[in-house]
Amino acid sequence: MTTALDLRDVSKVFGATRALWKVDLTVEHHEVLALLGENGCGKSTLVKVLAGVCEPEPGARMSVDGREVALPMAAGTSGGLGLSFVHQDLGLAKPLTVVENLLVGSLAVPGQAPHRIRWRRQVRAAAEMLASYGVEIDPRSVVDQLPPVDQALVAIARAADQLRRFRDTTGATSSVLVLDEPTVFLPEQEVEFLFDLVREVVASGSSVIFISHDLGAVRAIADRATILRDGRVVATTSMSEVTDDEVVELIVGPSAAAALNEVRSRPAPAPGGRETPVRVAGLGGGRVRDLHFDVAPGEIVGLAGLMGSGVEDVPYLLFGARQATSGTLTYADRVVELAHQRPMAAVSMGMALIPADRRRDAIAPAVSVAENMMMLVSRRFTRGGRLRLKELRRAADARAESLDIRPRRTSPPIGTLSGGNAQKVVLAKWLEIQPRLLVLHEPTQGVDVAARSEIYRVIERATETGMSVIWVSSDFEELATVCHRVVVVSDGVAAGQVDAAQLSPEAISTGVYAAARVSTASSLSTAGRASS
């Protein structure tokens, strides 16, 4: 009996690094197979082999729907086999419009010169295609100007449509959609849309490879899981036969799993009270309209809310990366008018921001790990107007060792690192200035469980010196793990709080949805009075 996809003896070596070693992977017809593992375990390399971007070592074999495929496969030929991809970086040409990204390669009308493209017709076709998947985005929008959520939806819709056109034109009944970290930028309601789309793809006769660090998402959508560790397959199992703890242990190994459990079970230290707390008062801007909360020295305060509540705007309004319209920040015995806040002023007063979109907003991908890590303190390594690069790299190497950044060498570009290791570099960069206030937005999205536990520990150690932390996340389990308390944000205001004694993912979720229901009921009541 044939399978949708079968890989055998896939290995890949980069210099002295063995990224994959004799990997076997089978995807059955009409199933969702989760591909799991730490950042750097080989998942993305395996996907690149499937896409024809990466050439495997001799001896690798591949078949699609029972048909043998010669390896190495030429780049660009995977679509003709019924394989479609949404990569971690989405694979979009961001300076171009949505319609150009969706229809590139088929824009010109047959028989006409390329300069006679019927743009109105193509925009209508793109709008109809997006609407067929429930995506409401103007096809004329420039991709780089769209929020990350919409960019992800464009990439997913494009990949799903490629499969639909493949089946329509070839009559094939089997195709494979590969989703590499598809939920990273998606709020809960869009994750549900993605799951509906995945189920539609499977029902139509296709299969899905689902790569994610979100075990909740994997549990909700996957039938089986293949788990990689250090480039090898350590297990393939039905999701109904393993617990989440067993999956974590397979991903990171027994010793790392024990360390993660230690972080989860460690009681939160009592907030410090010797110094003046950080106080946010009357913050407004974006979806935020009148937000008040404070953070004591050494305290980690989480902010939680549904998409659209305003919670995702808070980090950038405080840092000056987005313009606030009102509010003050009392910080280190000084009062800052947030309408006049600017990033450089925020840094000079000891504030640090780790944004959600690491690649776009937090790193220079082509610059070395060492220079990214030390860019805020480069003056330390300057003598007589010259940068002492060797001295800088020695300091960066020492920091990489202490944070378990892999590989240890900090001379390669940071863009070559896995997501978890790149995020450790971003964290190290900000800790070099010894901030008094650290603001984080989705700091562990796209980060494997081992790197996540290390990030938790590093931040916990930093709070022992009195650093205050504001942690904004849509992952309620994470907030319950790391925070001393969580402020619930709804309709742009603080609508409640979950204290340490009640702190749990369930309590945060209950608080968030209860606040959203109250906000909705209030809005409906106000609208009713206005119309009467």
Side-chain angles (χ1 to χ4, degrees):
M1 184 176 178
T2 63
T3 57
L5 175 69
D6 192 65
L7 291 171
R8 297 291 168 193
D9 290 328
V10 178
S11 299
K12 181 60 184 177
V13 177
F14 297 100
T17 302
R18 192 168 63 185
L20 296 171
W21 188 248
K22 296 188 178 300
V23 168
D24 293 344
L25 180 139
T26 300
V27 184
E28 303 292 345
H29 293 291
H30 314 294
E31 85 160 343
V32 178
L33 177 76
L35 182 59
L36 307 178
E38 294 185 65
N39 284 327
C41 73
K43 303 187 302 295
S44 293
T45 302
L46 188 61
V47 169
K48 289 175 182 176
V49 170
L50 281 175
V53 175
C54 189
E55 181 178 331
E57 305 302 319
R61 305 190 307 278
M62 173 178 171
S63 65
V64 180
D65 198 20
R67 303 185 307 275
E68 288 291 329
V69 177
L71 294 175
M73 183 171 52
T77 61
S78 57
L81 299 172
L83 303 175
S84 191
F85 301 83
V86 176
H87 297 285
Q88 281 186 359
D89 62 1
L90 302 181
L92 298 172
K94 294 189 176 183
L96 302 182
T97 63
V98 171
V99 65
E100 289 169 317
N101 273 273
L102 293 176
L103 301 176
V104 66
S106 58
L107 282 170
V109 176
Q112 292 185 346
H115 65 277
R116 297 292 303 276
I117 295 171
R118 304 283 183 86
W119 285 106
R120 290 184 181 177
R121 177 183 298 178
Q122 300 302 339
V123 168
R124 285 197 302 271
E128 291 171 3
M129 188 277 278
L130 290 169
S132 72
Y133 294 108
V135 178
E136 297 181 3
I137 296 173
D138 186 345
R140 295 164 295 188
S141 302
V142 175
V143 169
D144 201 32
Q145 296 175 2
L146 293 174
V149 169
D150 288 349
Q151 292 184 25
L153 293 180
V154 169
I156 292 165
R158 181 179 68 175
D161 195 62
Q162 287 172 351
L163 289 183
R164 182 166 63 184
R165 286 187 278 114
F166 170 79
R167 293 192 300 271
D168 289 346
T169 56
T170 66
T173 57
S174 179
S175 55
V176 179
L177 174 62
V178 181
L179 297 176
D180 191 353
E181 292 289 357
T183 63
V184 164
F185 294 119
L186 299 184
E188 186 173 350
Q189 60 268 36
E190 302 297 353
V191 171
E192 285 303 317
F193 157 77
L194 171 62
F195 288 171
D196 288 342
L197 179 57
V198 169
R199 295 182 185 106
E200 178 183 323
V201 169
V202 172
S204 71
S206 297
S207 303
V208 173
I209 297 176
F210 188 86
I211 303 172
S212 179
H213 295 303
D214 185 344
L215 292 185
V218 169
R219 180 71 64 188
I221 198 64
D223 302 300
R224 295 187 305 137
T226 291
I227 297 148
L228 294 178
R229 188 165 72 238
D230 297 328
R232 295 177 180 268
V233 174
V234 294
T236 294
T237 180
S238 169
M239 289 303 298
S240 63
E241 296 177 356
V242 288
T243 66
D244 285 352
D245 286 344
E246 289 170 335
V247 172
V248 169
E249 184 166 333
L250 286 168
I251 290 172
V252 303
S255 58
L260 181 59
N261 288 331
E262 181 185 343
V263 171
R264 287 173 171 166
S265 62
R266 185 182 299 127
R274 298 183 303 276
E275 301 176 36
T276 305
V278 173
R279 180 164 287 119
V280 176
L283 177 62
R287 298 182 180 93
V288 180
R289 57 190 181 91
D290 189 22
L291 184 62
H292 298 254
F293 67 96
D294 56 48
V295 189
E299 187 180 25
I300 302 175
V301 171
L303 300 185
L306 297 179
M307 191 69 177
S309 66
V311 69
E312 65 275 9
D313 294 324
V314 175
Y316 310 98
L317 295 173
L318 293 178
F319 196 72
R322 294 178 190 166
Q323 190 66 55
T325 56
S326 63
T328 59
L329 175 67
T330 302
Y331 175 83
D333 296 323
R334 61 184 289 190
V335 178
V336 178
E337 294 289 339
L338 288 169
H340 306 300
Q341 177 73 298
R342 296 293 183 271
M344 287 300 293
V347 173
S348 67
M349 61 191 286
M351 186 187 303
L353 170 66
I354 295 184
D357 193 334
R358 174 177 56 248
R359 192 168 188 87
R360 185 185 68 184
D361 300 329
I363 64 173
V367 177
S368 73
V369 171
E371 290 167 289
N372 271 273
M373 190 185 295
M374 298 296 171
M375 66 170 56
L376 298 176
V377 293
S378 58
R379 291 181 184 175
R380 293 181 192 169
F381 310 100
T382 302
R383 304 286 187 278
R386 296 181 61 187
L387 180 64
R388 304 296 180 90
L389 194 56
K390 288 184 178 179
E391 186 179 337
L392 182 148
R393 284 179 176 167
R394 280 197 298 271
D397 288 346
R399 178 69 76 174
E401 181 74 29
S402 67
L403 294 181
D404 192 26
I405 295 171
R406 304 178 190 178
R408 293 287 191 264
R409 293 177 60 249
T410 59
S411 54
I414 192 174
T416 63
L417 266 58
S418 66
N421 287 300
Q423 189 71 327
K424 290 181 190 178
V425 174
V426 174
L427 181 58
K429 175 184 74 175
W430 284 110
L431 291 180
E432 285 297 322
I433 70 168
Q434 298 180 331
R436 296 186 65 178
L437 175 61
L438 175 63
V439 185
L440 309 110
H441 185 205
E442 305 290 3
T444 62
Q445 64 181 1
V447 172
D448 63 69
V449 290
R452 186 176 302 161
S453 66
E454 181 62 28
I455 289 170
Y456 293 168
R457 281 196 291 264
V458 169
I459 294 173
E460 183 182 14
R461 286 198 299 267
T463 62
E464 295 172 359
T465 66
M467 182 182 73
S468 302
V469 178
I470 299 171
W471 196 304
V472 181
S473 177
S474 58
D475 186 336
F476 298 161
E477 182 175 357
E478 175 169 276
L479 292 178
T481 298
V482 301
C483 296
H484 298 148
R485 56 189 171 92
V486 172
V487 174
V488 173
V489 178
S490 181
D491 197 22
V493 302
Q497 179 171 290
V498 183
D499 294 319
Q502 291 80 39
L503 203 54
S504 68
E506 295 76 19
I508 298 171
S509 180
T510 299
V512 163
Y513 282 97
R517 285 196 297 271
V518 170
S519 175
T520 301
S522 176
S523 298
L524 292 173
S525 175
T526 301
R529 288 195 300 272
S531 62
S532 61

